[in-house]
Each structure stands twice: as C-alpha cells, then as structure tokens.
Amino acid sequence: MTKIQVVIIEDHDLSRVGLTAALQHSGTVDVLGSAANGRQGLEMIQQYKPDVAILDIGLPDIDGIEVTLQLKQVQQTDETLQTKVLMLTANTSEDAVLAAFAAGADSYSLKEVSVEDLLSAIQLTHEGNAWIDPNIARIVLQQAKASQAEHPQDPEVDTTVIKATDPEYQAILETEPLTDRELEVLELIVAGCSNAVIADKLYISVGTVKTHVRSILNKLCADDRTQAAVRALRSGLVN
C-alpha cells in the first residue's frame, strides 16, 4: 500500500519530533519533512508536494491560516500541487476555526487527538473528505446553518457542507432508534470524551462503552466517532 506523504509545520520542537516519530511508526504515513515556521513550511510544501500538510495555527512568523491562504493561491497556478491542509492545533476559538476553513483548510483537529484518530483524519483528508474534531464541530455547523438561513435560495453562496443523516439513515433510526444509554454515550462522544472518560462518567466498563459506540455507529451509518458526532449534531439528536 502506498504511504500517504505528509509535511509537518509545528514550531514546538518536542511536538514536532514526537508527531514525526508517531506517524512514521504507523507504517501508513511517510513524513517527507518538518518545519518550525510558516515560511519554511510553505517552501517545503512547494518543494516536496506532499499529499497532506499538517500545520499549527500559532507559528512564529506567519500563522497557519496565512500559510493556507498562500498555498491555495499557489495551487491556482500550479496544478501539480494538490496538497490538502489539516490544521492540528490547540486553538478552539470560533474566529480561528472559521478563519481556517475560510482560508481553505480541508480538516481541523485539536492536538489532544489520539494517534489513531489523527491517522484517520490524515486518511480522510487525503481522500478529499473533511475531518472535523468533535470539539469544534458545533462552530462549523452553526456557521453553516447561519449561512443557509441568510441565503436559503442563493446557489452562489458557498457554505460548509457536513453530511447529516440522509433519508435512509433517518429511516433506520425510526425503525431502530438509539436507546437512552446510547444517547448518553453519543452526547459524550460529541463532547469529545474518550471511551475511558465515558466509562467513568456513566459508571460502566470500557468494554460496555465500546459496545454502545459500535451500536451507535451502526445505527447512524457512520464510519467513525467524528462522523457520528457531526451527524448527531446536524440531525438534532444532540443539541
């Protein structure tokens, strides 16, 4: 299997080295290079043309949002540069999230993400899908709903599209609805809780949590926890 080629732009040395080691160890990702600032990172992206650029927002020279803007401008004239952008940051502010997507970021993840989920985010981003951390999904959904409400019939207005429960999924939920316990687990998934945290909060075992998560994913026809969280928010299962 061909490895996904990435470039990492992160100013904290330990974070950059640790992330590089974790991704290389996965066996599915090839880190072509890493940079400690935005300008160096942008040059590296143009040189190596990776599948995905993983970058922080808070960089010492130009921030990740500006890097994304400049990259998208270059891509307009260079068809060989097809790099996707995955923001990996600790910044959860609404302004930063919306600015990142407005600049052209493809996905947005918080640094507290597990290696397993980060690898999923990289894979989905590489495939052309948007991976949005459950902890900031509400911000994107609220913006999308606001745009749709402001321009309900305007096809020229671009909005962030996040798939909700399609009619067939809704039909499945009507015939096999989520149980009260599954709804409790789903709310905690949306809140960004790990299985261990969910188990602690609901006084159940981690194994039981995993069983509930599998059932939730099946009922929502979701591939992973992030997709389930987004569908739950969009469909109104969780407020």
Side-chain angles (χ1 to χ4, degrees), residues 91-156:
N91 196 326
T92 60
S93 73
E94 180 175 348
D95 288 345
V97 173
L98 296 180
F101 282 111
D106 298 283
S107 297
Y108 198 109
S109 176
L110 299 183
K111 286 185 175 180
E112 61 193 35
V113 68
S114 67
V115 174
E116 181 182 0
D117 283 343
L118 179 57
L119 289 171
S120 295
I122 293 171
Q123 178 69 44
L124 287 168
T125 303
H126 172 49
E127 293 172 352
N129 300 305
W131 195 96
I132 303 173
D133 195 295
N135 289 294
I136 58 93
R138 294 177 190 272
I139 296 173
V140 181
L141 288 166
Q142 288 168 357
Q143 177 67 12
K145 289 178 179 179
S147 297
Q148 291 167 355
E150 185 177 353
H151 305 279
Q153 304 297 329
D154 190 350
E156 298 301 321

